[in-house]
Structure formats: structure tokens, C-alpha cells
Amino acid sequence: MGNAAALLIFASLMGQLLGFFRTRLVNANYPAIGPESTDAYFAAFKIPDLFFFTLAAGALGVAFMPFLADRLSKGDKRGVWELSNSLMNLLAIVMAVVGVIIFVFAEPLLHYVVAPNLSDQQMHNASTIMRLIAFNPLIFTIAGILTSVQQVFGRFFFFAVAPLFYNASIIASVYIFDSMGLIGLGVGALVGAILQLLVALLGFFGMRYKYQATISWRNNNFKQILRQLPPRSLDQGIDSVNSVVETNLARRLGDGKLSYYENAYVLHTAPTLLIGTTISTAAFPRLTDRLAQNRKDLFRKEFLEILRVIIWIIVPVAVISYFTRAYLARLIFANDAPQIALIFGFFTGAILFRTIYALVSRWFYAQKDSRTPLYVSLFAIGLNIVLAYILSRPTAYDVAGLAMAQSIVAASEVAILFSIMVLRDRKLMNAEFWGGIYRIMSVAGFAVISAYIMITLFPLSTSDRGFFTLGGKLLGITSVTLATYLGMSLLFGLEEAKAVTSKAKQLILKPIKM
């Protein structure tokens, strides 16, 4: 599990770096305001993402893998292929129909649902990009099912690297299709999706996978998967609905506000994906295996260990993100960085709690309970929409209010799920766990002091531009803050810090065989 997590974290880090580079290139080549505004680019992806997450993403991984794990633990490889083929064929049909709908109704969807007040040129750009990526949800669905199967068999490499090709393709499109303007980015996204599918297919080499164009409607496990899909799909889709609402609100606040918000959103999702999603994804097959083995004691023990690791890692990241928000904003968006820095600062709470949520939600999914996270998400998204509307008014916090609402709701969602978990398993949150969390929070105080001192010593000046200047200051602030956090963690006796130093000693002092 540690090796899988390391692979996923490394691949996710590379993906985030490519994502930052992609965003910076888009910002550098296209304006936030005007006929070629990047508002059109960001708006074009909302409806395809909504359909993908609502109809397909819920089937991938957490609602699908536990049933595959059960079949595999019983040595029924044929059953694994039957379930995989059935789900892939069904969702392929559904997503193909969705692709046609998006392609035909691109302009009305943009005008009435996603982004009102787009100018004629902006609407042309947004609708053209949306039509180019109309069938990306279909491609992502097939690739996602293929990589989910591979994870059950312990293959994480292709799942980890496939998304890299998507980002790389969009980056290349900035140069290759520059004469097409913003529309060239849509071409790059389409090519990237196809490349991602091809990489996912390579992961089946040597697995003797047998494809059959059938849907096993009578298979009991397949029926159970279909019953799990609605709550899980709604859970995923609600987040996308919320994203559409936020896009609509941001667009109504004025030209360019959507681009500022999306840039800050990209910054805030990086730690969550890098830490929460990768570690949780690597741990999920192991947790489902423990329940398949009827070892609830080991399930509980390993879940708490992984949760503490995630919290220990994400706390200093959240601290650094808050104090270096202006540096990061300037790095990703040389112009208009103050707006992005302000928004990103309000996202700090969401960084912490969304990362924790990535594992907490899987506590329920591992037990084949997709309804509880759904009900909590319904409440959370409803609260978020209300708060977003109230806080984002020009007389309140403007577009930064959207980020503030996200942080408040993320904290509420985790608190509710934690309460439900404790009610279901009284032995889950023991004194040892809470003692560890208390020490982590105590150590975080020293990280706050360290980060504050470092930004005082290395302030951001108006002349600071470029990767090396900004990157040098960021590296200095981050290194000292993390060193302080690690040192104090060792002083407070945190096991996570001991594991890090022990591994470092092995790597540094390990003899080299001549």
C-alpha cells in the first residue's frame, strides 16, 4: 500500500505541475477580460464534467471496486471480467447519448445554465470547445473502468500516469493550435482524452482480459452495483451541480471574475488531489480487502493510521498555502494576482477538510454504504449554494465569498460524517487517536510562527516576477516551515515523523553494493 501511495503521489505531483504549467500558459496567452476571455474556456467544461460525474464517475472505484474485490478474493476472475464488461457496455451507451445531447444543445446550455452574459465571440468560443469535448465523458468513462479493474489487481501505474497525457496534450495545443485561439485548447482536450484511454488500455497487457459486448442483467453482483450507482452518482454529481452554480454566480459578478475564481480553485485542489485522493485511492483496495476477510479490527486500525498520516501531512500544507497565497497567485497568474490571492486565502479551510473527506467518505464506501455520504452531500451542497449566494454578493465578499462558502461547508461535511462514524463504531475514535490529533494541532502552531517569520524576511515585492525569483522565495519559506514542523513533530513524539526520518536514514545511509 505504501508503494502504491508513493507511486500515486509522485504521478499526482507530476500531474499538478503539468496542470499549473497548463494554467499558466493559458493565462499568459489569453486574457481574462475581453472577446477572447478565458471565462469561455472555463465555462465550456462545466456541462461535460457535470454529466460525467453524475452518470459515470460514481460507478468508478468506490461503488465498483468492492464487488470486484469480492469476486477476486474468491478466485473468480471470470466474474471480474463479466462485471467489468457489463458496466462498461451499459455506461458507454448512456455516455454516447449524453455526448450527442451536449453537442446539439451546447449554446442553450451555456446561455441559460452555465454562463449568462457571454458576448457573441465568447459564446462562439465556449460552444465550439464544448462540442469538441462533448464525447470526452464517454472516453473518460471507459478509461476509468479499465483502470479501476487494474487497481483491484494491484496495478496502479497506468491509472497514475494516464491523466498526465491529458494535461500534456492541452499544453501542446497552446503551441500547435495557437492560430485557432481558445478553440485550440478544446482540440487539445479531445486529443488528450483519447491518449488517456490508450494508456489505460496498455494496462491490460498480460492480464488476459476478455471483452464481450454483453450486459449481464441477471448477475446478482451487477444488480447490486446498479443499486449502488444512484446514490454514489448523485453524490458526485451534486458537486458538479454546485460548480455550475458557482460558475453562473461568478459570471454574473462581471467579466473575468470566473477566470480569477477558477485559477484560485485550481490552486486549492492541488493539495487535495496530491495528498487526500492519492493516499485514499491507494488505501481503498486494502480497506475493502479487510472487510472481505471479515477483519473489522484491522480495518479500523489501518483506517485510523492512514487518517492520521493524511492529517499530519495536510496541516502544514494548509499553513504554507495560506501564508504564501500571494506568491502562488503571482506564480500561476502574473497579472491580476491580488484577486486570485484573496480568493485562494479563503480556500485554505477547504484544502484541509476536503483532503480529510477523501478518506472519510471511503470509510462508508468500503462498507458498500453510498447512501450516507449522499445524504450528507445533499445537505452540504444545499448549504453551499445558499452561502455562496449570500456571501458572493457585491455588497458582501464578491467572488471571494464563493471560496469562503466552500471552506465552511467542507468543515461541516467532515464533522457530520465523523459523528455518524462514531455512532456506528464506538471503538473507532479512541483516546490514542485524539491524543495524536491534539499533538498535530500543537505542532501546527510552530509551523504558523515559522511561516510568518519567513514571509517577513522574504516579502513579496511588486518587482518579483518569473519562476526562479518567486520559486526561490517559495522554496525558502516552505523548506524552513516544513523543517520546523518535522522537528517539532519529533519532539512531540509523533509516529508519522519518526517514520519519515527512519525512511530518510535508510535512503541516505543504505550501503551501495559494489
Side-chain angles (χ1 to χ4, degrees):
M1 184 170 64
N3 291 335
L7 170 64
L8 291 174
I9 288 175
F10 176 76
S12 181
L13 176 60
M14 294 302 298
Q16 292 305 315
L17 291 176
L18 285 174
F20 284 146
F21 185 50
R22 178 194 72 192
T23 304
R24 183 171 176 80
L25 278 178
V26 171
N27 292 330
N29 287 274
Y30 307 99
I33 300 173
E36 292 293 321
S37 170
T38 49
D39 281 11
Y41 166 73
F42 290 116
F45 286 82
K46 296 302 177 179
I47 293 298
D49 287 348
L50 171 64
F51 278 109
F52 171 69
F53 284 111
T54 302
L55 299 178
L60 311 180
V62 294
F64 178 44
M65 287 167 57
F67 295 95
L68 296 186
D70 285 345
R71 293 292 89 206
L72 192 61
S73 66
K74 296 175 183 178
D76 185 9
K77 202 170 183 179
R78 180 181 176 183
V80 172
W81 302 143
E82 184 179 353
L83 287 176
S84 305
N85 288 326
S86 296
L87 187 61
M88 181 163 59
N89 293 331
L90 174 62
L91 290 180
I93 294 171
V94 173
M95 299 312 290
V97 174
V98 166
V100 173
I101 294 173
I102 294 174
F103 189 89
V104 174
F105 298 102
E107 287 192 22
L109 288 170
L110 283 164
H111 180 71
Y112 294 106
V113 180
V114 181
N117 305 325
L118 287 175
S119 67
D120 291 341
Q121 182 61 43
Q122 290 171 343
M123 177 59 73
H124 170 72
N125 290 338
S127 59
T128 303
I129 294 173
M130 184 182 286
R131 288 190 173 101
L132 283 168
I133 62 173
F135 292 95
N136 274 18
L138 167 63
I139 299 172
F140 289 144
T141 297
I142 297 174
I145 292 175
L146 295 177
T147 52
S148 293
V149 175
Q150 292 168 37
Q151 290 178 68
V152 173
F153 283 88
R155 287 191 176 186
F156 289 88
F157 177 79
F158 295 94
F159 165 77
V161 302
L164 300 181
F165 288 84
Y166 180 72
N167 275 331
S169 179
I170 297 178
I171 290 172
S173 70
V174 174
Y175 301 101
I176 298 174
F177 307 112
D178 61 319
S179 61
M180 301 176 66
L182 274 177
I183 294 173
L185 300 176
V187 176
L190 173 59
V191 174
I194 295 172
L195 290 175
Q196 185 169 330
L197 175 59
L198 293 176
V199 174
L201 287 169
L202 289 176
F204 273 89
F205 181 77
M207 291 179 64
R208 298 181 181 179
Y209 170 64
K210 297 180 180 179
Y211 173 74
Q212 291 182 333
T214 58
I215 301 176
S216 302
W217 295 105
R218 296 182 180 180
N219 186 299
N220 289 328
N221 282 329
F222 184 61
K223 291 179 181 179
Q224 287 182 282
I225 292 174
L226 293 182
R227 284 194 289 269
Q228 291 283 332
L229 283 186
R232 175 56 180 160
S233 295
L234 285 173
D235 188 15
Q236 290 274 27
I238 287 170
D239 289 334
S240 295
V241 170
N242 181 65
S243 180
V244 171
V245 171
E246 290 178 335
T247 300
N248 190 294
L249 291 173
R251 180 61 201 174
R252 291 178 185 276
L253 291 171
D255 208 21
K257 295 293 180 70
L258 173 58
S259 293
Y260 302 150
Y261 180 75
E262 288 293 333
N263 275 276
Y265 190 87
V266 167
L267 284 173
H268 117 277
T269 57
T272 300
L273 294 173
L274 180 62
I275 299 167
T277 303
T278 52
I279 296 177
S280 300
T281 300
F284 188 67
R286 177 70 168 267
L287 295 175
T288 56
D289 284 344
R290 291 307 191 193
L291 291 177
Q293 298 161 4
N294 200 28
R295 292 301 306 271
K296 293 185 178 180
D297 56 330
L298 292 179
F299 171 79
R300 182 187 302 115
K301 175 179 177 293
E302 292 175 0
F303 172 80
L304 290 180
E305 289 175 351
I306 299 165
L307 181 59
R308 269 190 50 167
V309 167
I310 288 178
I311 294 174
W312 183 74
I313 295 174
I314 195 58
V315 163
V317 173
V319 170
I320 292 169
S321 296
Y322 179 78
F323 282 99
T324 63
R325 60 192 183 278
Y327 302 77
L328 291 167
R330 181 79 60 80
L331 191 63
I332 195 173
F333 200 134
N335 300 313
D336 305 301
Q339 292 94 326
I340 299 173
L342 175 65
I343 299 168
F344 183 54
F346 285 111
F347 264 128
T348 306
I351 291 175
L352 175 63
F353 291 104
R354 290 296 180 202
T355 303
I356 296 173
Y357 176 84
L359 182 67
V360 170
S361 61
R362 282 167 171 79
W363 186 90
F364 294 91
Y365 299 138
Q367 301 179 69
K368 301 176 183 177
D369 176 11
S370 56
R371 294 184 180 275
T372 300
L374 168 63
Y375 298 146
V376 175
S377 290
L378 285 171
F379 166 77
I381 298 305
L383 176 62
N384 189 83
I385 292 173
V386 172
L387 290 176
Y389 177 76
I390 295 172
L391 297 175
S392 68
R393 289 177 299 178
T395 55
Y397 296 93
D398 200 70
V399 70
L402 299 176
M404 185 186 296
Q406 285 266 6
S407 291
I408 295 172
V409 170
S412 303
E413 195 168 12
V414 169
I416 294 171
L417 288 177
F418 258 105
S419 301
I420 296 172
M421 289 163 59
V422 172
L423 289 174
R424 291 188 181 181
D425 186 354
R426 298 286 185 177
K427 298 180 181 179
L428 183 62
M429 301 298 174
N430 51 39
E432 180 182 356
F433 173 79
W434 288 117
I437 298 300
Y438 175 77
R439 282 179 289 162
I440 291 174
M441 294 299 105
S442 299
V443 171
F446 292 96
V448 169
I449 296 172
S450 177
Y452 178 77
I453 293 173
M454 288 303 295
I455 65 168
T456 303
L457 295 175
F458 299 97
L460 182 67
S461 63
T462 55
S463 61
D464 287 342
R465 290 290 189 278
F467 177 79
F468 291 103
T469 301
L470 292 168
K473 289 189 174 183
L474 274 171
L475 180 62
I477 297 169
T478 301
S479 299
V480 173
T481 304
L482 290 179
T484 302
Y485 184 78
L486 178 60
M488 296 308 299
S489 294
L490 289 170
L491 187 62
F492 276 69
L494 287 167
E495 294 298 325
E496 294 78 11
K498 294 178 182 178
V500 170
T501 54
S502 176
K503 190 65 176 179
K505 287 179 181 178
Q506 290 179 11
L507 294 174
I508 296 171
L509 303 178
K510 184 178 180 180
I512 300 175
K513 294 183 179 180
M514 304 298 293

